[in-house]
Amino acid sequence: MEKSSYFLFGGTNFNKKKFAPDFAKFKNSTEDDDSNKKVNFFVEEEEDTEQPEAEKVVVSSKKRKRRSSNSVPVEGFDVFKSSKKARAKGKAEEQITKNEIVENPKKELNRQMERDALSRKQYSIHVSGNNIPPPLKSFAELSSRYGCEGYILRNLAELGFKEPTPIQRQAIPILLSGRECFACAPTGSGKTFAFICPMLIKLKRPSTDGIRAVILSPARELAAQTAREGKKLIKGSNFHIRLMTKPLVKTADFSKLWCDVLISTPMRLKRAIKAKKIDLSKVEYLVLDESDKLFEQSLLKQIDCVVKACSNPSIIRSLFSATLPDSVEELARSIMHDAVRVIIGRKNTASETVKQKLVFAGSEEGKLLALRQSFAESLNPPVLIFVQSKERAKELYDELKCENIRAGVIHSDLPPGERENAVDQFRAGEKWVLIATDVIARGMDFKGINCVINYDFPDSASAYIHRIGRSGRAGRSGEAITFYTEQDVPFLRNIANTMMSSGCEVPSWIMSLKKKKWRKHRPRRDSISTKPKADKNDTDE
Ligand SMILES: Nc1ncnc2c1ncn2[C@@H]1O[C@H](COP(=O)(O)OP(=O)(O)OP(=O)(O)O)[C@@H](O)[C@H]1O
């Protein structure tokens, strides 16, 4: 594999060679699925599968369009939506404009606006706000237009990033021009670098003057991952990016600690603020990653505390997520100044690179049976399984831990070290299957995940989008299977809508179900455990 693509897609890498004897057991039907396949920057359109006549399906208009046209390879992420033809056309138009003598500045301004609009259309970028800077044409523009230091461009190149993703094209110039922004872009489309890159460029040089940027993430694992990604970008500079850990909250003297960028969960940062251990008054940049989650009722107080502590009047705040409910937009508008709104593609839709399927499992017994059967037929690791609670995660783990599928588990009852271990072992390919609660449903970048299984139906449409978005990242294809029982049927339609808008087929009977307003759908479910009660109690703790 080329060095560049190794760096880019070297996340979860299932080592078939190392685990050959075990894997042989599952080999038959996985052979064709190239789980180790290199990521292709030239993503082919999804192959159409023949539809059984008996099963009438509703096909979204987007999919119909795709079906009627010949499959054309699309360069870059699927979300780029940029064909070579469109790029060539753009270049030709640019040339014509350059050749014209600019006599009238107003005319030139109009032309520039037209060019920006074209470029936005090409990448499905939708913006609202005043005086929005043009999208980036390339990473090289970071240095020609914004005086970006060489180390950032070198690091981007080393990561194998050839061109900015659509969210990076638009969010980076907005933040570099000193504007606040709230952005919604699909899962796995590069939002992390869209906020870290401009932050580092604007901070210019490292300083011992205190914390100048804060990134908030709703979960520890995500905060750790963001810190790791950030560190890749500061290689060769003297910047210090720190992750707020428990020991740091307890013992560190932040006035003596060199820290340019601090990455934390809201809870840990609030603790440090309340203990008067940290001064955030010089913070110039505040990023709320997974902002809709951070604005949930349970986290609001902590967020409020952090936002207040970041008291610098010229602070630039930005919000990023793959889902942006209207209520969060409203909240964002009320706290931000002259913010620009950026949406890539359509708001609140699932990644189009994930093939989604709904499976009726009947009962809890049926789910376990279906899972075992699908593993026996073809296990194409890495596989991520989501359940609705930590109790159910433990139960499912107890059922699967002795089987030859190398299962791991992660939930909020585990101590931090064990949570970290679970993620690391899964990334390293030592665990093939990871059973998880929603603690890792957002933001986690396990690049090679072939399949996400919603063992328990997700509690909301946004949970569905984030869960299945752990697969099909950075232009890769993936699969998502959602089990449902009678209890979940009233909520099927909501998921079906999300499936349709990302180009998946849905049986017509589901589309004719009534839409139901859902808050949190977490029904009481029968136990997963097949063991007698006495045994179960022994193993649960
Ligand atoms: N310009 C780029 N070119 C190619 N790959 C990129 C580029 N920018 C980021 N990536 C890669 O894309 C993957 C997904 O990026 P990232 O984790 O930032 O997605 P995200 O949009 O934040 O997803 P989520 O909504 O799930 O949090 C990462 O592996 C990252 O390294």
Side-chain angles (χ1 to χ4, degrees):
M1 193 185 287
E2 256 179 52
K3 197 178 175 207
S4 58
S5 45
Y6 166 76
F7 271 104
L8 180 53
F9 302 106
T12 304
N13 215 345
F14 177 66
N15 191 338
K16 281 186 179 168
K17 218 171 179 182
K18 187 170 168 192
F19 301 113
D22 304 280
F23 188 68
K25 297 187 186 102
F26 303 100
K27 209 167 145 208
N28 46 4
S29 47
T30 57
E31 202 77 303
D32 296 346
D33 297 332
D34 189 359
S35 69
N36 279 338
K37 77 183 142 204
K38 283 180 202 162
V39 170
N40 199 347
F41 266 82
F42 296 83
V43 180
E44 297 280 352
E45 291 282 280
E46 204 178 281
E47 213 177 279
D48 274 347
T49 45
E50 222 170 90
Q51 199 58 38
E53 266 189 19
E55 204 185 323
K56 244 173 113 193
V57 291
V58 181
V59 182
S60 74
S61 57
K62 215 181 277 171
K63 182 105 183 181
R64 272 200 297 273
K65 244 189 230 167
R66 269 202 246 155
R67 281 187 162 180
S68 59
S69 64
N70 283 335
S71 173
V72 183
V74 178
E75 194 168 327
F77 282 160
D78 208 14
V79 285
F80 282 8
K81 294 274 181 288
S82 71
S83 65
K84 281 182 178 169
K85 227 171 163 183
R87 250 204 293 275
K89 194 172 158 237
K91 274 191 184 153
E93 274 160 9
E94 204 176 308
Q95 198 52 44
I96 294 167
T97 344
K98 270 186 190 163
N99 292 345
E100 282 172 5
I101 302 158
V102 185
E103 285 169 350
N104 183 343
K106 200 171 164 200
K107 218 170 165 183
E108 174 52 17
L109 191 72
N110 285 341
R111 278 192 205 289
Q112 179 62 44
M113 279 164 67
E114 269 171 34
R115 280 197 296 268
D116 295 350
L118 265 175
S119 165
R120 289 192 184 110
K121 192 169 174 210
Q122 188 182 344
Y123 298 110
S124 283
I125 300 171
H126 309 281
V127 284
S128 39
N130 302 316
N131 295 325
I132 303 165
L136 283 181
K137 291 194 188 78
S138 64
F139 281 129
E141 247 188 311
L142 288 177
S143 84
S144 60
R145 233 165 92 186
Y146 298 102
C148 161
E149 302 268 348
Y151 76 90
I152 292 186
L153 293 184
R154 272 198 305 278
N155 292 334
L156 287 170
E158 197 169 316
L159 284 162
F161 297 178
K162 294 189 174 70
E163 53 177 334
T165 65
I167 185 61
Q168 292 164 356
R169 283 179 197 274
Q170 189 59 84
I172 293 177
I174 290 171
L175 292 169
L176 285 176
S177 68
R179 300 283 295 279
E180 298 200 319
C181 105
F182 53 101
C184 179
T187 51
S189 65
K191 292 187 284 297
T192 315
F193 283 110
F195 56 75
I196 297 186
C197 232
M199 178 185 281
L200 294 172
I201 298 172
K202 285 293 261 188
L203 291 180
K204 284 202 175 87
R205 264 167 289 283
S207 123
T208 47
D209 241 15
I211 298 161
R212 289 190 296 151
V214 168
I215 301 171
L216 282 185
S217 305
R220 288 176 214 162
E221 287 73 19
L222 180 56
Q225 177 183 285
T226 307
R228 217 189 45 226
E229 292 296 291
K231 283 175 187 169
K232 289 180 189 165
L233 210 55
I234 56 169
K235 251 172 64 191
S237 78
N238 287 324
F239 273 114
H240 283 72
I241 293 183
R242 290 197 190 271
L243 172 68
M244 183 70 109
T245 54
K246 218 173 177 179
L248 212 60
V249 177
K250 277 192 178 152
T251 56
D253 180 356
F254 278 91
S255 62
K256 294 197 181 108
L257 199 71
W258 188 351
C259 173
D260 298 287
V261 180
L262 180 67
I263 302 171
S264 178
T265 58
M267 179 55 99
R268 285 192 173 158
L269 194 48
K270 185 189 158 194
R271 278 201 191 125
I273 294 167
K274 290 281 173 207
K276 300 206 180 339
K277 281 178 158 285
I278 198 164
D279 174 17
L280 298 180
S281 64
K282 295 203 183 86
V283 170
E284 297 163 49
Y285 296 94
L286 174 63
V287 177
L288 305 186
D289 191 16
E290 307 294 346
S291 43
D292 52 330
K293 180 77 193 168
L294 293 178
F295 282 132
E296 276 183 8
Q297 201 59 39
S298 57
L299 294 173
L300 263 185
K301 271 194 183 151
Q302 296 153 34
I303 299 298
D304 198 42
C305 170
V306 175
V307 171
K308 274 190 189 135
C310 296
S311 55
N312 181 349
S314 46
I315 190 168
I316 305 290
R317 288 171 291 202
S318 55
L319 271 54
F320 285 80
S321 185
T323 47
L324 191 64
D326 296 343
S327 55
V328 172
E329 275 206 39
E330 263 170 47
L331 202 62
R333 281 209 179 88
S334 70
I335 61 164
M336 296 169 105
H337 313 291
D338 193 21
V340 181
R341 174 186 191 259
V342 185
I343 309 287
I344 306 298
R346 287 179 59 196
K347 210 173 90 159
N348 304 335
T349 47
S351 166
E352 289 185 17
T353 55
V354 183
K355 212 165 100 190
Q356 303 159 55
K357 212 161 79 182
L358 290 164
V359 173
F360 180 65
S363 61
E364 287 305 321
E365 253 172 39
K367 282 186 189 175
L368 200 54
L369 207 71
L371 188 71
R372 286 199 164 116
Q373 200 170 333
S374 91
F375 282 169
E377 279 166 11
S378 74
L379 176 70
N380 192 13
V383 174
L384 190 53
I385 305 178
F386 284 108
V387 290
Q388 81 180 29
S389 67
K390 52 196 176 197
E391 291 73 25
R392 291 178 63 77
K394 290 176 204 169
E395 283 177 2
L396 186 58
Y397 177 65
D398 280 344
E399 285 295 322
L400 299 180
K401 69 183 176 195
C402 296
E403 291 174 25
N404 274 333
I405 55 166
R406 290 175 184 262
V409 66
I410 183 165
H411 51 76
S412 61
D413 261 4
L414 291 178
E418 279 182 44
R419 276 169 73 159
E420 218 172 282
N421 255 350
V423 169
D424 290 348
Q425 288 179 336
F426 188 54
R427 278 196 205 281
E430 288 162 28
K431 297 289 180 193
W432 299 349
V433 174
L434 185 61
I435 301 159
T437 57
D438 283 333
V439 284
I440 56 157
R442 282 172 175 261
M444 294 304 288
D445 189 43
F446 302 112
K447 287 153 200 121
I449 289 192
N450 289 312
C451 183
V452 169
I453 298 175
N454 287 318
Y455 191 88
D456 289 337
F457 205 75
D459 66 10
S460 63
S462 62
Y464 177 76
I465 292 169
H466 287 280
R467 279 180 175 188
I468 71 162
R470 298 316 98 211
S471 176
R473 299 177 71 76
R476 290 192 76 143
S477 57
E479 195 186 1
I481 299 167
T482 301
F483 290 161
Y484 67 94
T485 60
E486 288 297 340
Q487 288 175 296
D488 308 311
V489 170
F491 301 93
L492 269 181
R493 174 70 197 275
N494 305 55
I495 294 284
N497 278 358
T498 310
M499 290 174 71
M500 286 270 286
S501 49
S502 51
C504 288
E505 295 171 350
V506 177
S508 54
W509 71 268
I510 293 181
M511 289 317 289
S512 62
L513 289 173
K514 264 199 178 151
K515 259 192 193 172
K516 187 161 170 144
K517 226 181 152 97
W518 64 359
R519 290 196 179 265
K520 291 270 176 204
H521 169 60
R522 288 187 181 208
R524 268 185 88 88
R525 298 185 190 274
D526 292 339
S527 166
I528 295 173
S529 185
T530 55
K531 291 175 192 158
K533 269 237 151 77
D535 283 7
K536 197 193 121 201
N537 288 338
D538 287 348
T539 50
D540 257 355
E541 289 312 307

